[in-house]
Amino acid sequence: MDLSRLAAGFGAVLLITASAVPAHASAPARADDRGSTREFGNGPERNEVAAADSAAARILSAAVPGAAWKPGRQGYPRRHELRVYPANPEDRSIKLGLIPYHDIAPRLNALQQASDRVSAEVVGHSALDRDLYLVTVTAPETAAEAARQQRWRELIENDPVAAKRDRSLARGYKTPVWINANIHGDEWEGTDGALRVIERLATATDAATKAFLARSRVYVTVTNNPDGRIAGTRVNGAGFDINRDHATSSQPESRAVRDVVIGTQPFVMLDEHGYTGTTLIEPATPPHGQNYEYDLYIRHALPNALGMEAAIQRLGHPETTRADIPFRDYAPGDWDDWPPIFTPMYAMYQGAVGHTVEIPLQVNRDLYTTLPVEELRRRAGVNTDVAAATIEAALTYADTNRASLLAGQIEQFRRGWAGEPQRSVPDGYVPGFGPEDRYSTTFPRAYVVPAGARQRSAPAAARLVNHLIAHDVRVTEARTSFTLNGRRYPAGSYVVDMHQPKRGLANVLLEAGRDISSLVPQMYDISGWSHRLLWGASVDISRTAAPRVATSPVSVATGTSSVPQSRELALTLRDPADVRAVNALLDEGIKLRLYGAATVVLPASAAWIADRFGVRLEAAPRGHAGTPISRPVLAAAVAADELFALREMGFDVRTVSTATLNAGASLAGVTGLVVSSGLNYTQLTEAAQAQVDDLLSRGGVVTRGVTGATFNAAAGLLPATAVAGRGDANGVVAVRNPGQVTGTDSPPNSFVYSPLWFTGTGFTVEQRYAETPLVAGHWLPTAPGVGGPSQAAGQASVVSGTTARGSRAVLFGTEPLFRAHPKGLYAQFARALYWTNS
């Protein structure tokens, strides 16, 4: 389950009041009519449990993503001999009587041999390099028949007007349905329920099943998180929640299912989760994503959910007498579909009717170890029945309503190509639809990513464009210069024409977003994000006019390096690529100097770094010696996402925590400390505290969030008093950057989750919240006049200074590395690290 999305979002406040950071006030917990409470959507563990070192964190941060999976054009079945893993008695699914990961490949290999309806293949690999399987179940097809299906799929997306007229397509296109299972590793039974359905479809001899498979393709990603399945953890092997990564694609598991949903273009998809006590089946409550074609979605999502509810009722278990359907049963904000980070919400932008399904009976976390095995297995059996029943019901719905679902997907893409406004959905369109469900946007005509001098960061622009392309957003490149809205753009500028089939996805990634604080009382997870504002590239919006210029489609963008003729060169740290370049030079033993806090001076002989990383070099400033810098060696008590980002930038990181330091972990050779999670100064043993004190006297410290601010206060570093906003407040904020360490040339926007600000004197303000801080997201006060954006307005969000011990410190109240998402903010953190370590 996505924790417990059932009541108010004030569980977050528990995190604040339990810490040493003064919150000034806290709000009482709110409960819904069922009396359940909603846990903090981001999880307090992010500030409490430091990431441990792992092979995955090292491998992934250095790895270049592999080629995207694409569907082949050969016929079906497509038999692949899957590699078989050694038996692992530590697989946590065994205790529950469920299938361990090492038995999945043998079972699929056997099914492929026994049935000509089953094809299994590897579509990617997990963080720990385990195979990710895609199973396709359909009636046999010749190569010509499969190629025709693929041509029809492409026609639906690329020329929906022609697809709508094509009678042979209407008769012969196979209904695609995608089932994603086990994205949270300790929510196991979706895998077992899906395998049960696969086996039934593979072996059934009745005429109805044969006819169904002749007109359908069922795609199943059997386990989206094998690392977590084996370990019994929600997260993958790198510590990431994959079901928060679909807008960012930092993890290989999310990239794999991105490629599957693009390649299969399903009409309907289910994401099988657990555990909510009562089976929960989406559609969701408001706020609904404002970029959806919601009329096309809800007309099928609600009746499909009702069909799944009826299916679990027929099981006859006492625990399956009803389902919770949030759209029908919950209050606004209790279970939203606002952000594109969840699998079904992302799939909706790819043309699917997406559902999260939460199976009912908890078997994970503490109950895994405290309940008798017999009870665990009973619960797992009920859960498997529920998973299988919801899948079977969704297949029946998709088959029965195939003509309408096909028409809806065609219509979604047609509206995109035509640039038509979204439809206004009337009250009562489906039972229960009212004004609180009405969310919409006005799509701009185009986005332009300028080339040349107007582009803030060439690596950022290339990364953003490649990200859009990987998500099937159409991007073109101008062949000549052009003028748009009074601005001149050079040839090579990128254009995202919003007359395209997946305009909703393009817009949800690029728009600023919306402040929804006044619309719902709480949100489960992030409510604001923006690749345009947070990824470091310059992106312009054209509201009404499209560029009048010849363009060419872009398949891959490359960063354009720049190297002037100069004895010494300068690299300004604006982007993760700039930071990687600096760390690569330090690895080579090349002598570098830090000029200010944002510019690194290097010899002309190191100019090769520009081509390797696509960075822009300038002539070094004359008359300033700068400060020599060496390779930072960081002891980091940080969350998993921050560890990933630090290693992605090429830093040498050694993970620490209160527990590891108390157990004798050495800080010898470490030059700096990073604290955001799992390190409490007052809980260190005398010996561990002496080690930390020694490091703080000779090296710098960078902190983030509540845990970092608490550490700063306890260790007596900077005289800054941290004030906490509401714990679940989050989103894109406007900032001013007066400081010279992190502030120099930084973007005017940042990101917050559980925002902090700092008061007092005796330090330098690097960054302040703007007078109207929140650009997009959800941020309410913890109490009237306390902890809200009005109280944060104008306050210091990042501060720096020299500590009482004579070293340097930087304290972040923002989230520059959050979930590997705000790429344009990474450099701020890197500058702080170089400055405090210099």
Side-chain angles (χ1 to χ4, degrees):
M1 152 182 125
D2 285 343
L3 294 181
S4 181
R5 301 169 61 170
L6 303 180
F10 292 106
V13 176
L14 298 177
L15 171 63
I16 299 172
T17 57
S19 75
V21 178
H24 297 285
S26 61
R30 171 184 175 271
D32 69 4
D33 293 339
R34 304 178 193 283
S36 57
T37 56
R38 179 183 182 183
E39 299 177 52
F40 188 30
N42 185 37
E45 66 277 1
R46 187 165 184 271
N47 293 310
E48 296 172 356
V49 181
D53 205 354
S54 70
R58 293 180 179 275
I59 293 168
L60 287 176
S61 60
V64 176
W69 174 84
K70 295 184 183 298
R73 289 181 179 263
Q74 66 269 39
Y76 284 99
R78 301 172 180 178
R79 294 188 172 99
H80 299 87
E81 184 70 21
L82 305 176
R83 67 169 166 171
V84 175
Y85 289 81
N88 180 2
E90 300 302 315
D91 190 310
R92 303 273 281 187
S93 58
I94 295 172
K95 181 178 180 179
L96 301 172
L98 302 172
I99 185 168
Y101 175 74
H102 58 258
D103 280 347
I104 295 176
R107 184 174 295 193
L108 295 177
N109 284 337
L111 274 173
Q112 288 184 102
Q113 292 304 312
S115 173
D116 62 0
R117 305 170 184 174
V118 177
S119 303
E121 59 189 303
V122 174
V123 292
H125 299 89
S126 72
L128 293 175
D129 200 36
R130 294 185 173 102
D131 292 342
L132 302 175
Y133 309 121
L134 174 67
V135 175
T136 305
V137 189
T138 193
E141 299 172 17
T142 66
E145 289 169 336
R148 181 174 59 183
Q149 290 290 323
Q150 181 65 10
R151 288 194 299 272
W152 279 336
R153 190 210 68 78
E154 293 169 354
L155 188 68
I156 291 168
E157 180 181 356
N158 297 328
D159 193 349
V161 173
K164 185 176 181 178
R165 292 196 303 258
D166 192 326
R167 295 182 179 179
S168 60
L169 185 157
R171 289 191 303 269
Y173 187 58
K174 286 190 171 183
T175 301
V177 180
W178 172 41
I179 310 300
N180 191 47
N182 200 203
I183 191 170
H184 289 147
D186 62 352
E187 298 165 14
W188 290 272
E189 296 92 338
T191 293
D192 298 78
L195 284 169
R196 181 185 296 178
V197 174
I198 290 169
E199 289 169 350
R200 184 193 71 78
L201 293 174
T203 59
T205 57
D206 60 286
T209 300
K210 293 179 180 178
F212 167 79
L213 292 175
R215 58 181 178 261
S216 306
R217 282 188 186 169
V218 180
Y219 301 100
V220 182
T221 37
V222 179
T223 169
N224 194 191
N225 185 359
D227 299 347
R229 184 177 186 83
I230 291 168
T233 60
R234 177 184 180 87
V235 296
N236 73 347
F240 272 72
D241 186 333
I242 306 165
N243 202 40
R244 302 292 181 277
D245 193 49
H246 291 295
T248 304
S249 302
S250 72
Q251 300 303 294
E253 296 93 343
S254 62
R255 292 193 291 270
V257 295
R258 172 201 68 193
D259 298 340
V260 167
V261 71
I262 291 171
T264 62
Q265 204 166 289
F267 292 169
V268 172
M269 75 82 54
L270 304 187
D271 206 26
E272 294 282 346
H273 288 256
Y275 306 95
T276 48
T278 300
T279 303
L280 183 147
I281 306 168
E282 288 175 340
T285 68
H288 305 302
Q290 63 186 18
N291 289 283
Y292 301 141
E293 303 295 334
Y294 200 71
D295 62 318
L296 300 177
Y297 168 75
I298 194 62
R299 67 185 294 188
H300 288 293
L302 184 56
N304 192 24
L306 294 172
M308 287 187 267
E309 179 182 46
I312 68 165
Q313 290 172 328
R314 289 193 293 271
L315 293 173
H317 298 299
E319 300 93 341
T320 62
T321 57
R322 58 177 300 278
D324 285 336
I325 300 175
F327 180 87
R328 179 189 69 186
D329 300 328
Y330 289 176
D334 280 354
W335 190 285
D336 66 272
D337 58 14
W338 179 253
I341 59 175
F342 309 121
T343 318
M345 280 67 259
Y346 176 79
M348 287 160 66
Y349 292 111
Q350 298 286 355
V353 176
H355 299 262
T356 297
V357 174
E358 300 276 357
I359 54 182
L361 301 179
Q362 185 181 354
V363 295
N364 62 357
R365 314 288 166 77
D366 292 343
L367 294 185
Y368 183 90
T369 57
T370 58
L371 285 179
V373 170
E374 294 77 8
E375 174 60 11
L376 287 172
R377 293 190 173 190
R378 185 195 74 81
R379 292 183 176 205
V382 173
N383 290 335
T384 300
D385 289 347
V386 170
T390 54
I391 294 168
E392 293 278 15
L395 296 181
T396 298
Y397 183 87
D399 184 45
T400 304
N401 296 277
R402 64 176 302 276
S404 180
L405 287 163
L406 170 62
Q409 190 176 83
I410 289 173
E411 175 64 8
Q412 177 174 333
F413 296 153
R414 187 201 66 79
R415 291 179 190 177
W417 280 114
E420 293 183 357
Q422 293 167 306
R423 300 293 193 270
S424 178
V425 185
D427 291 353
Y429 179 77
V430 297
F433 189 96
E436 71 279 4
D437 293 298
R438 199 166 288 114
Y439 285 78
S440 63
T441 192
T442 300
F443 294 109
R445 185 60 184 84
Y447 290 96
V448 179
V449 183
R454 288 198 57 228
Q455 181 50 248
R456 183 174 179 275
S457 169
R463 180 178 56 245
L464 176 60
V465 168
N466 286 327
H467 185 79
L468 294 171
I469 293 168
H471 286 261
D472 204 26
V473 172
R474 315 297 173 95
V475 184
T476 61
E477 186 175 17
R479 298 178 190 173
T480 61
S481 61
F482 63 95
T483 299
L484 180 65
N485 300 323
R487 295 178 179 177
R488 191 70 180 168
Y489 293 90
S493 294
Y494 299 109
V495 177
V496 181
D497 189 324
M498 290 296 285
H499 286 193
Q500 61 172 293
K502 297 177 182 177
R503 64 173 179 180
L505 181 58
N507 209 49
V508 80
L509 296 178
L510 292 174
E511 69 176 352
R514 179 178 177 183
D515 179 355
I516 58 171
S517 306
S518 64
L519 302 178
V520 291
Q522 78 282 325
M523 290 287 288
Y524 171 61
D525 207 89
I526 63 168
S527 311
W529 59 91
S530 175
H531 294 26
R532 177 171 62 85
L533 298 181
L534 298 178
W535 273 40
S538 300
V539 184
D540 296 336
I541 308 172
S542 179
R543 294 292 177 192
T544 59
R548 300 183 66 178
V549 62
T551 63
S552 300
V554 180
S555 58
V556 62
T558 57
T560 304
S561 60
S562 174
V563 182
Q565 294 295 320
S566 179
R567 184 174 61 87
E568 288 190 312
L569 301 170
L571 174 60
T572 301
L573 302 177
R574 298 188 179 97
D575 188 82
D578 302 323
V579 181
R580 285 197 302 272
V582 169
N583 284 330
L585 291 171
L586 292 172
D587 282 343
E588 295 287 335
I590 295 173
K591 293 182 179 180
L592 306 178
R593 303 194 310 277
L594 188 63
Y595 173 62
T599 301
V600 174
V601 177
L602 54 141
S605 60
W608 52 269
I609 203 72
D611 287 334
R612 177 181 294 186
F613 292 97
V615 297
R616 181 178 296 160
L617 300 176
E618 299 169 333
R622 297 187 178 184
H624 297 278
T627 304
I629 60 173
S630 57
R631 185 83 151 90
V633 180
L634 305 174
V638 296
D641 54 349
E642 294 168 314
L643 175 62
F644 179 86
L646 290 170
R647 287 197 167 136
E648 192 177 34
M649 287 187 284
F651 285 106
D652 183 353
V653 184
R654 304 176 187 181
T655 59
V656 295
S657 65
T658 305
T660 60
L661 289 171
N662 285 345
S666 174
L667 296 178
V670 171
T671 64
L673 180 64
V674 186
V675 182
S676 65
S677 182
L679 181 54
N680 188 312
Y681 183 83
T682 62
Q683 293 177 5
L684 293 172
T685 64
E686 184 177 348
Q689 199 170 99
Q691 264 211 105
V692 170
D693 288 341
D694 174 66
L695 175 57
L696 294 175
S697 67
R698 59 182 170 81
V701 61
V702 177
T703 76
R704 188 273 306 163
V706 168
T707 299
T710 303
F711 180 89
N712 172 75
L717 301 177
L718 295 183
T721 299
V723 182
R726 178 167 144 160
D728 64 349
N730 70 88
V732 182
V733 292
V735 295
R736 292 182 283 112
N737 295 290
Q740 296 301 305
V741 176
T742 67
T744 302
D745 199 31
S746 288
N749 296 101
S750 191
F751 185 81
V752 294
Y753 205 122
S754 303
L756 294 182
W757 55 94
F758 302 97
T759 62
T761 59
F763 50 81
T764 298
V765 176
E766 293 292 330
Q767 183 186 85
R768 292 186 184 276
Y769 293 111
E771 293 307 311
T772 303
L774 190 62
V775 174
H778 191 273
W779 184 352
L780 291 174
T782 57
V786 178
S790 296
Q791 288 71 51
Q795 299 290 341
S797 52
V798 183
V799 300
S800 68
T802 301
T803 72
R805 304 163 190 261
S807 58
R808 291 173 168 178
V810 177
L811 316 181
F812 282 87
T814 57
E815 289 274 1
L817 307 180
F818 186 79
R819 294 182 187 163
H821 167 57
K823 311 290 188 185
L825 309 182
Y826 279 24
Q828 296 177 21
F829 208 84
R831 292 173 188 174
L833 293 172
Y834 290 130
W835 182 77
T836 56
N837 278 263
S838 65

